[in-house]
Amino acid sequence: MSGSRRMLPRDLVSEAIGGLLARPARVALTVLGTVIGVGALVATLGLSKTAGNQIVGRFDALSATDVVVSPSARAGGARAAVLPWDAEPRLRRLNGVAAAGTLSDVDVRGALVRSVPINDPLAAGAIQLPMKAASPGLFRAVHARLATGRLFDAGHSRRADRVIVLGPNAARRLGITRIDQQPAVFVGDRLYAVIGLLSGVRRHASLLGAAIMPEGTARREFGLRAPALAQVETRIGAVELIVRQAPVALSPVDPGLLKVASPPDPRQLRGEVKNDLNALFLLLGGVSLLVGAIGIANVTLVSVLERVGEIGLRRALGAGRRHIAAQFLLESTAMGLAGGVMGASLGTLVIVGVSASKTWTPVLDPWVPLGAPALGALIGLISGTYPSLRAASLEPVEALRAGT
């Protein structure tokens, strides 16, 4: 016992280092498992936060600014004549509105659409095509992209000009790919000049397959009574304000005749997205870390079995059980700590590399790379607990006999 009392901490450290350096290849492979586990954990936490910010940023840029105003059920639903014809300028006067426009379905009473002047409804090229009426500001509100030509303006609507803009799917069905030759289409027996072709929209996907005419034209030629809905794009953070003010601006006498569809709270969505991503990535990182922990436990246990004779000799020379246990715990903790340091470095490099390739801004909480080495050491400590207790429980005589 007197010998055990004189054993200093530096002696334990020296013995642990000696035990690790005795089998460098095995230790390196074991540490590699921890490096992969900790690196995966750090990388997944950082990438989940980075990707979450990108997803939420895109939501803020498009969905979080999307407001739609339409007649309520009390007013009679979508066909109710509640929205005024000057809804667009009224909405644009509200502080926080970036763009606004109105959109309606046009009842063309079964008229077929064709790109050649053939009166036979069964002739080739005569198709059923959705017809829409829009105010000029709608194109900006839905983020319409123009492939060629131009969009109609307030003058076209005021004069009720027979002009239309075709969505890409509608243009393909009609066989129109360019407008430099001033193409025109027949809606029934009415001739309309095609002045623009869209390449896409980010809101109201129904516009992709439709022919869009000015509201004034639909009002005069097809008896459109009122706009069906108003599409509003707000500035970031102005949704709640516009949701309150838009019904009053469009129907000051009875705002309850209008309903407003607005996006969910971006802060709540941000939390949900991050929680979902973190749950998935933490599971993957946890599995990798478990593999590393099992590797440390296995190598430490094998080391105990291989060093039974050494353990017996040290016990015979006066080393106590706690010293034997402390040595093996120190070895496993050192492997975990080394794996944690290298894993944190590897994970951080992965985050930076992936972010650079995607032109993202890398985001990582400071505690993640700082806490990763401590986590690795803790995993090593836990993994070495059973092997160290196994080593400490060996009796000197039995150990010496087994080691010979």
Side-chain angles (χ1 to χ4, degrees):
M1 279 297 179
S2 60
S4 67
R5 293 193 189 99
R6 290 193 299 268
M7 187 167 288
L8 301 176
R10 67 170 177 267
D11 297 325
L12 288 176
V13 173
S14 177
E15 291 291 339
I17 294 175
L20 292 174
L21 295 180
R23 300 166 182 81
R26 181 186 297 174
V27 170
L29 291 175
T30 306
V31 170
L32 180 61
T34 309
V35 169
I36 294 174
V38 174
L41 193 62
V42 172
T44 50
L45 283 173
L47 289 176
S48 70
K49 193 173 184 67
T50 301
N53 280 6
Q54 294 298 319
I55 293 171
V56 173
R58 292 184 181 183
F59 172 83
D60 288 344
L62 183 65
S63 300
T65 60
D66 185 11
V67 173
V68 177
V69 185
S70 58
S72 65
R74 186 163 70 86
R79 296 186 178 275
V82 177
L83 286 171
W85 290 110
D86 62 343
E88 179 181 322
R90 289 193 193 188
L91 290 169
R92 292 179 62 183
R93 285 195 292 266
L94 298 178
N95 186 27
V97 172
T102 55
L103 179 66
S104 307
D105 291 318
V106 180
D107 182 8
V108 295
R109 304 176 185 90
L112 298 179
V113 181
R114 60 181 67 85
S115 56
V116 290
I118 300 177
N119 294 325
D120 183 4
L122 299 179
I127 60 174
Q128 290 281 357
L129 200 65
M131 301 296 296
K132 304 281 186 180
S135 67
L138 178 82
F139 295 107
R140 183 182 173 193
V142 299
H143 288 249
R145 299 185 299 276
L146 191 63
T148 185
R150 58 163 296 181
L151 304 172
F152 52 75
D153 54 31
H156 291 106
S157 183
R158 186 169 53 252
R159 296 187 300 269
D161 292 341
R162 286 186 174 180
V163 295
I164 61 171
V165 173
L166 294 176
N169 297 340
R172 184 166 54 252
R173 293 180 65 189
L174 291 170
I176 298 176
T177 59
R178 48 194 299 180
I179 64 165
D180 54 353
Q181 296 180 350
Q182 299 180 339
V185 297
F186 285 86
V187 180
D189 57 356
R190 298 181 175 94
L191 184 64
Y192 290 80
V194 179
I195 62 172
L197 302 179
L198 300 179
S199 62
V201 295
R202 298 185 69 183
R203 297 186 176 114
H204 288 288
S206 61
L207 296 175
L208 298 175
I212 311 157
M213 66 178 61
E215 276 185 344
T217 306
R219 186 178 181 183
R220 186 185 71 179
E221 301 203 346
F222 296 100
L224 183 65
R225 295 173 55 205
L229 62 86
Q231 174 68 56
V232 183
E233 180 180 21
T234 73
R235 295 185 177 88
I236 297 294
V239 168
E240 294 183 5
L241 176 66
I242 300 306
V243 166
R244 293 194 305 268
Q245 293 183 351
V248 178
L250 299 178
S251 181
V253 176
D254 190 357
L257 294 177
L258 296 174
K259 65 178 181 179
V260 183
S262 61
D265 185 355
R267 290 167 296 183
Q268 179 182 356
L269 180 71
R270 186 190 304 270
E272 292 175 355
V273 169
K274 288 185 177 179
N275 288 339
D276 291 343
L277 288 173
N278 283 338
L280 173 62
F281 288 137
L282 280 174
L283 177 61
L284 296 176
V287 171
S288 300
L289 202 57
L290 178 61
V291 173
I294 294 173
I296 292 177
N298 181 61
V299 167
T300 307
L301 183 58
V302 171
S303 179
V304 169
L305 297 177
E306 289 179 347
R307 296 158 65 184
V308 169
E310 175 192 335
I311 295 170
L313 181 60
R314 292 190 59 206
R315 289 294 310 279
L317 293 176
R321 294 181 186 273
R322 59 190 179 91
H323 296 126
I324 299 298
Q327 177 184 341
F328 284 97
L329 278 177
L330 195 56
E331 290 181 14
S332 63
T333 303
M335 287 189 288
L337 178 62
V341 172
M342 290 186 284
S345 303
L346 177 63
T348 304
L349 289 175
V350 169
I351 295 168
V352 173
V354 171
S355 299
S357 67
K358 300 290 185 181
T359 64
W360 293 349
T361 300
V363 181
L364 182 63
D365 290 323
W367 63 266
V368 175
L370 296 178
L375 177 61
L378 178 62
I379 293 297
L381 180 65
I382 295 174
S383 302
T385 299
Y386 171 71
S388 63
L389 293 177
R390 175 81 176 267
S393 66
L394 293 174
E395 294 296 335
V397 175
E398 295 178 1
L400 287 171
R401 184 182 300 116
T404 57

